[in-house]
Amino acid sequence: MAEGYKAERTISAVFKEQKQIDDVIRRLLDRGVPKDYISVMGRNFQSETRISGFLTKKDVILGGLKTGAIFGSLFGSFLSLLTGVGVLFIPFVGPVVAAGPIGAVLLGAASGAIAGSAGAGLVSVLTTLGMPEDKATIYQTRLEAGEFLLMAEIASDRTGEYQLLFESAGGEEIHTIDKALDHPCPGRCNSPDDLAPEVRTHLSKEAQGLFIERYNVVLNETNDEFTAEQSAWSAVREQFDEDENGVWSKAKVIA
């Protein structure tokens, strides 16, 4: 996580072509937006790499895409710089490659942290973040059609600058919400207070401890918050079941 960076709003837009995404990421990085605050989603990234590691509504399967050679071959020079990558199954959309903090938000939604154990479509997730339902519906429809969604967390006093940047790069349906995305922890998690509220409120005290322990171990190994959060959720699901309120609190009996 970039120290001292001021993220107060999230600006988003739809782009029709992958090369536009690469161009926008380059320009955002050149203007000082850290890679930890840029998110991308898309269905039709061109690559010869076999994509594996799907996240379903109820399952987190580790493995598949990671940073490094596979990530680079899939995304190209600038997309390969983003933190965290996963292939998510989003209801009503299907399998989507997600990079950056939006992947962790969707991971929480599919695991019950935003929309309950049944899983959430993209519209539900985006409206929870503060986007109007009609705009979220357009985003979901266009993502389903094979276009790309890019989001950047920015300082409020630079909103106009980045809106012009998105427009000049071919962005459509540009929208800004008055908050940044939730990040799992600012680096290591030292206590439950460091967890994003959407995560913390759906874990019992014991599950919080397990989540934090696994998160920190994997973060130390990979320096990748998305991978660390994937592993932490997997550890919780291995040892706990959800109760009737959607809280991971029922300790499993290990035979």
Side-chain angles (χ1 to χ4, degrees), residues 18-165:
Q18 181 177 336
K19 62 182 180 181
Q20 294 173 311
I21 293 292
D22 200 62
D23 176 56
V24 174
I25 291 174
R26 174 184 59 79
R27 294 165 68 178
L28 288 171
L29 294 172
D30 286 347
R31 285 164 174 76
V33 179
K35 59 186 177 64
D36 301 314
Y37 294 86
I38 302 171
S39 297
V40 175
M41 287 188 286
R43 296 184 64 186
N44 294 335
F45 287 106
Q46 299 300 312
S47 171
E48 297 179 357
T49 303
R50 180 177 175 81
I51 299 174
S52 60
F54 281 85
L55 170 71
T56 68
K57 296 179 188 178
K58 294 288 289 181
D59 299 306
V60 178
I61 305 175
L62 299 181
L65 298 174
K66 291 183 173 66
T67 55
I70 295 177
F71 191 19
S73 68
L74 176 64
F75 288 104
S77 58
F78 290 104
L79 278 160
S80 64
L81 298 176
L82 301 187
T83 57
V85 59
V87 183
L88 315 179
F89 182 87
I90 303 177
F92 315 113
V93 177
V96 172
V97 175
I102 189 60
V105 174
L106 290 164
L107 173 63
S111 300
I114 291 179
S117 59
L122 184 62
V123 172
S124 297
V125 174
L126 294 178
T127 53
T128 299
L129 296 175
M131 185 176 292
E133 185 175 352
D134 58 346
K135 180 67 70 174
T137 300
I138 291 172
Y139 279 10
Q140 177 168 291
T141 300
R142 296 189 66 167
L143 190 66
E144 185 178 7
E147 299 182 13
F148 305 92
L149 174 61
L150 187 145
M151 309 173 79
E153 298 163 70
I154 59 173
S156 58
D157 60 0
R158 300 184 68 182
T159 302
E161 171 189 347
Y162 289 114
Q163 181 170 342
L164 290 173
L165 187 158

Side-chain angles (χ1 to χ4, degrees), residues 1 35-36 83 218-225:
M1 193 71 64
K35 59 186 177 64
D36 301 314
T83 57
V218 177
L219 184 66
N220 287 339
E221 293 173 350
T222 66
N223 198 34
D224 186 322
E225 292 173 356

